[in-house]
Amino acid sequence: MISSSAGPRPADFTDVRATNLAVVLRFVRDKAPCSRADIAASTGLNKATVSSLVADLIERRLVREVGLTENRVGRPATMLVLDGSPYASVGLEVNVDYLTAVAVDLSGERLLSWRRSFPGATATAAQAVSAVAALTRRVISRMSRDRRQVLGVAVAVPGLIGTSGTVVVAPNLGWREVDLAGDLATALRDPGFPIQVENDANLAVLAEHRFGPLSGTPNLVYLTGEVGVGAGVVLDGRLRRGGQGFSGEIGHIQINPEGPACRCGRTGCLEAVAGIGVFVSATDPAEVEPEIREVVRRAKAGDRPTLDLLARVGRDLGRGIAIVTNLLNPEAVILGGYYVPLAPWLLPAATAEACDRTLAGDLGGCRIVASTLGYGAAALGGAARVLDSVDSGRLPALQAS
Ligand SMILES: [Zn+2]
């Protein structure tokens, strides 16, 4: 079983060791194949310490040796690469029209990617919890069939998530004060790995930061293109959640005081004027995807009312993006979800409008791009979040042999 502790603890020898193990693990992740001497030279840890740390990581099967290679001074050295073959990191996403599950190995290689339609807008929170638990159980059993141990699960929810994993409010799901992390742990009978719950946009931006074409870019903003619109913000390489974790609710910034009613009870919010709901007449959430396909078909056919609507939504989206570019000066704003298939029509209007409204020239160096990670971005970000925990030193325990 995995043991993992959360929260700050007093520094002691174990912490120093865990920190150093994490330093070595991250070095191997970034630089593999590399030798013990490379690690010592770059990290400043002495060679004996590096050898001991590497032995520990090999024993935990996080790192493995590959053949001998000539190193820089011509002496053969045993090279190290990430292993992680016995492990899986799992992310899930709950949304108004679907559930997604993604599992990756330690190096981020995709092990599975499932998407199920799900009546999130009409299901009760209890029904949602049991649907998520059922899907998680299937992922766990698939992983154990493949002899992989689950390192952790992180669930993306479109809403305000408190620090303990409670969904404070998720307006489009109709949830209020749902202890999703606790309820899932109970439903899974305390599975022995950590369960985290996080805002969907926050996880999606982590997925972009770790796995996307702009991975490693220190300043990124991701906008979810669902019925709701949320922003996930990475600044200086770190996810920014705000005082209580409630940052990024750009969907409820008022864009047009004369605009339509928003599900939050106010009027003219960004998601009311430029969320995917604008394109969708169906009350059945399962119809969102076919309706968006139909919008794409009409746009490709040059249908004037459709093109006008896309241009109008693009401009309103650009107004929202200008708030982001003026406030945060990101290097990229990434449009996700259903914005992706609509991006060819939304991006020109959105970019022009955002440029018009941003004080810095040329959008302050920001690019507005469509995500390439697909509908599973938030779930993939859940898996990235679990890997972040491992990389920061919450390593799986040594297995009793
Ligand atoms: Zn609103």
Side-chain angles (χ1 to χ4, degrees):
M1 279 290 120
I2 300 287
S3 71
S4 174
S5 56
R9 290 169 298 157
D12 57 21
F13 173 74
T14 320
D15 287 329
V16 173
R17 176 103 184 151
T19 303
N20 287 341
L21 284 166
V23 165
V24 173
L25 183 65
R26 287 198 301 272
F27 186 88
V28 176
R29 178 186 292 291
D30 293 342
K31 307 285 190 225
C34 58
S35 68
R36 289 167 175 80
D38 295 334
I39 297 169
S42 294
T43 60
L45 295 164
N46 72 50
K47 284 182 184 170
T49 305
V50 168
S51 287
S52 155
L53 294 166
V54 166
D56 191 335
L57 292 172
I58 288 173
E59 200 175 345
R60 290 172 204 258
R61 298 186 61 189
L62 294 165
V63 162
R64 67 187 168 85
E65 293 181 328
V66 289
L68 294 175
T69 309
E70 294 283 302
N71 69 8
R72 280 180 293 277
V73 291
R75 284 179 51 205
T78 306
M79 303 306 270
L80 301 164
V81 296
L82 277 187
D83 181 6
S85 54
Y87 300 115
S89 157
V90 177
L92 293 113
E93 180 187 6
V94 185
N95 218 310
V96 295
D97 54 337
Y98 58 83
L99 295 178
T100 310
V102 168
V104 302
D105 71 8
L106 195 68
S107 66
E109 232 14 77
R110 202 80 75 103
L111 302 171
L112 68 79
S113 192
W114 292 341
R115 192 162 187 254
R116 304 261 184 281
S117 75
F118 169 71
T122 50
T124 63
Q127 287 167 332
V129 169
S130 59
V132 174
L135 185 58
T136 310
R137 270 192 291 269
R138 294 193 52 192
V139 174
I140 296 167
S141 87
R142 169 67 70 90
M143 290 301 105
S144 57
R145 201 190 71 191
D146 296 346
R147 300 177 176 283
R148 287 179 187 273
Q149 192 176 355
V150 172
L151 292 169
V153 170
V155 188
V157 176
L160 301 182
I161 315 298
T163 41
S164 64
T166 297
V167 181
V168 177
V169 59
N172 298 320
L173 295 172
W175 295 8
R176 221 162 242 292
E177 299 297 337
V178 176
D179 178 16
L180 183 59
D183 290 352
L184 268 181
T186 306
L188 296 170
R189 300 197 179 120
D190 293 321
F193 50 72
I195 296 172
Q196 304 176 70
V197 175
E198 179 58 276
N199 173 269
D200 58 346
N202 286 352
L203 290 183
V205 79
L206 287 183
E208 296 287 350
H209 190 251
R210 187 180 271 266
F211 299 119
L214 296 168
S215 67
T217 304
N219 301 289
L220 287 177
V221 173
Y222 181 99
L223 294 185
T224 59
E226 309 291 340
V227 171
V229 178
V233 177
V234 164
L235 289 181
D236 303 323
R238 296 191 58 184
L239 180 67
R240 302 296 164 170
R241 303 176 78 257
Q244 299 188 347
F246 300 159
S247 68
E249 289 302 329
I250 193 171
H252 300 287
I253 286 177
Q254 193 178 55
I255 297 294
N256 177 5
E258 314 295 311
C262 180
R263 287 184 190 221
C264 73
R266 299 169 187 87
T267 55
C269 294
L270 179 64
E271 73 178 49
V273 297
I276 285 306
V278 171
F279 299 102
V280 178
S281 57
T283 46
D284 179 0
E287 295 300 312
V288 173
E289 204 172 336
E291 290 217 31
I292 296 298
R293 273 203 302 272
E294 176 59 18
V295 173
V296 169
R297 191 195 64 75
R298 278 187 265 132
K300 280 184 175 160
D303 177 59
R304 187 36 56 194
T306 302
L307 294 174
D308 289 347
L309 179 62
L310 283 162
R312 201 272 291 157
V313 168
R315 283 194 300 276
D316 282 341
L317 190 57
R319 290 176 157 213
I321 291 171
I323 294 168
V324 171
T325 50
N326 280 312
L327 195 61
L328 302 175
N329 187 212
E331 292 158 86
V333 171
I334 302 167
L335 304 183
Y338 294 110
Y339 283 144
V340 174
L342 303 177
W345 300 278
L346 294 176
L347 281 177
T351 305
E353 188 75 15
C355 279
D356 248 19
R357 291 172 180 271
T358 301
L359 181 62
D362 201 21
L363 272 183
C366 174
R367 299 153 61 193
I368 306 175
V369 297
S371 173
T372 58
L373 296 179
Y375 293 112
L380 182 62
R385 172 68 171 257
V386 174
L387 293 182
D388 286 349
S389 300
V390 175
D391 282 358
S392 65
R394 287 183 195 150
L395 302 184
L398 286 168
Q399 317 238 348
S401 49

